[in-house]
């Protein structure tokens, strides 16, 4: 059984002298990988998910307050917890050099992931 080299046959048909497969270089030579940009990108992704969850929890807490589903003590604890989480988010964004808008992923026709209110 003979193997057929279609690329070499095509090169010969087009009048090329010979065909050699391209040399593949290691991935790190083809893509510029900067440790800082990778770290910042990963931090941005994780903080985006955390911010989305924080906003969802905040909205749910506000709904429960509006319905009268919570005691005054529960409202106070939720408020303190959400405030502490927001402060942590600010500190992490500053640590990684991210602005709040850096966490808002553009979903194309759906618009931004996080509300801009």
């Amino acid at each position: 059984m003979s193997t057929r080299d279609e690329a070499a046959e095509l090169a010969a048909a087009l009048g090329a002298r010979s065909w050699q497969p391209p040399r593949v270089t290691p991935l790190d030579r083809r893509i510029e990988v900067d440790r800082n940009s990778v770290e910042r990108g990963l931090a941005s992704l994780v903080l985006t998910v955390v911010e989305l969850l924080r906003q969802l929890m905040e909205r749910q807490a506000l709904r429960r307050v509006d319905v009268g589903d919570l005691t005054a003590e529960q409202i106070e604890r939720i408020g303190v917890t959400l405030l502490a989480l927001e402060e942590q988010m600010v500190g992490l964004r500053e640590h990684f050099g991210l602005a709040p808008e850096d966490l808002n992923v553009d979903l194309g026709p759906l618009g931004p992931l996080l509300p801009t209110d």
Side-chain angles (χ1 to χ4, degrees):
M1 177 186 215
S2 67
T3 59
R4 191 170 153 207
D5 188 351
E6 293 178 6
E9 290 176 10
L10 179 60
L14 293 173
R17 295 177 194 249
S18 66
W19 180 83
Q20 293 291 327
R23 184 170 170 258
V24 178
T25 59
L27 182 61
D28 62 345
R29 290 188 185 175
R30 289 185 283 163
I31 299 174
E32 289 294 323
V33 178
D34 176 19
R35 180 182 170 108
N36 292 334
S37 67
V38 170
E39 185 178 87
R40 188 172 186 266
L42 181 58
S44 175
L45 176 63
V46 170
L47 292 177
T48 297
V49 171
V50 172
E51 178 63 16
L52 176 63
L53 292 173
R54 186 193 71 73
Q55 288 187 15
L56 290 173
M57 289 186 321
E58 187 176 287
R59 283 191 166 82
Q60 182 64 25
L62 289 173
R63 279 190 207 104
R64 291 186 66 190
V65 167
D66 288 343
V67 171
D69 210 16
L70 301 171
T71 66
E73 182 182 306
Q74 290 173 322
I75 294 170
E76 181 66 24
R77 276 190 308 171
I78 289 172
V80 168
T81 302
L82 289 173
L83 184 59
L85 181 55
E86 187 171 358
E87 288 172 358
Q88 287 293 319
M89 287 294 294
V90 169
L92 288 168
R93 280 197 323 263
E94 287 174 358
H95 176 77
F96 289 104
L98 298 167
E101 50 274 359
D102 293 334
L103 305 183
N104 203 355
V105 178
D106 181 10
L107 300 175
L110 299 175
L113 176 65
L114 303 172
T116 55
D117 50 272

